[in-house]
Amino acid sequence: MALIAILVAALLLLVRRRWPIPVLAGCVALYGLASATGTVAPGIVLAIAIATFGLANRSTRRVTIIAAAITAAAVFLLSVIGAVVSAADPRMVQFVLAVALAAAAGDATRSRREYIVAITERAERAEQTREAEARRRVSEERLRIARDLHDTVAHQIAVISLNAGLASSSLESPEKAKEALSAIRSASRAVLSEIGNLLALLRTEDPDAVITAPPPGLGRLDELVAQFAQSGLAVRLRVEGDPGRVGGTTDLVAYHVIQEGLTNALKHGGDHRAHVLVEVTDDQVAVVVTNPTVPSAVDAETRGATVGHGLLGLRERVASVRGVIESGITAGGYRLAAVLPSTKEGPG
């Protein structure tokens, strides 16, 4: 009888993964049947331990604790009942401990498997986060390159275009044609030099490399005004305060605001004149560029023409230093204004 019970228990173990609780209950019932006949069946206890391990390995901890407690109590009580029929077997305590050990081992295996799954998922999420961060940095770098290319090329190309038109219309006046061609040559050299510096920076493998040319800033306003004056734009510059108090990114952004405003005045403004106001205080820098407009520009503004790439990039630059910028048609013409926080203390 005991041999049959052991064989049946072994057969039950074949389906323990599909029905872990019924298999465990069946093995306990077989152990009870063997005990009722006065037979101690360690083989069935081994089957109970295997079934308990399988249940703990595939169930929650709560289910495992309840099932293990019930199984251990059942094995002990059935062993006591078997002791009534035959002599008490001192191994009944070992049977109970075997069930408890199997439950603990199954729970530990399940916990380790869940831990490995959690670590794997965490690593995958971290990899996805790194990829997303890399894509974000690439996108930001593309925007930065686009802004730098526009700032480097746009106003010089505008100078070349306007002077080329002036030269073609002044062929009968050699002096004007000569001045226009000289401006074209100067602008071409400048843009080639700036593009060369930018390409050198993009090609370098050193992330901390810098362009050797002096960075643009409010200290180079006279040079900027002179370039536009050579192109036929009369610029009136007024500076209030000490530009030397401004430094870092704010200085660069302020320069680009003025550069963009003068470029637009040269390309789209009327009367070939513009006014630039730079006001430096202890905590901020205000930059205002105004110029008369032509009717076509007013009509475009009224119709809600789209903002060009230059103004779009300028807004991004100003936002990067937590400044504010506004532009549009006013009573006196076109106005571009920005207020930037100062990043450099003046001399004490």
Side-chain angles (χ1 to χ4, degrees), residues 218-232:
L218 295 180
R220 299 177 59 185
L221 280 183
D222 292 338
E223 178 184 341
L224 181 65
V225 170
Q227 290 178 2
F228 282 98
Q230 187 178 9
S231 304

Side-chain angles (χ1 to χ4, degrees), residues 146-165:
R147 288 194 298 265
D148 289 345
L149 282 175
H150 180 275
D151 294 336
T152 299
V153 175
H155 79 283
Q156 298 289 3
I157 295 299
V159 170
I160 293 173
S161 177
L162 291 174
N163 281 278

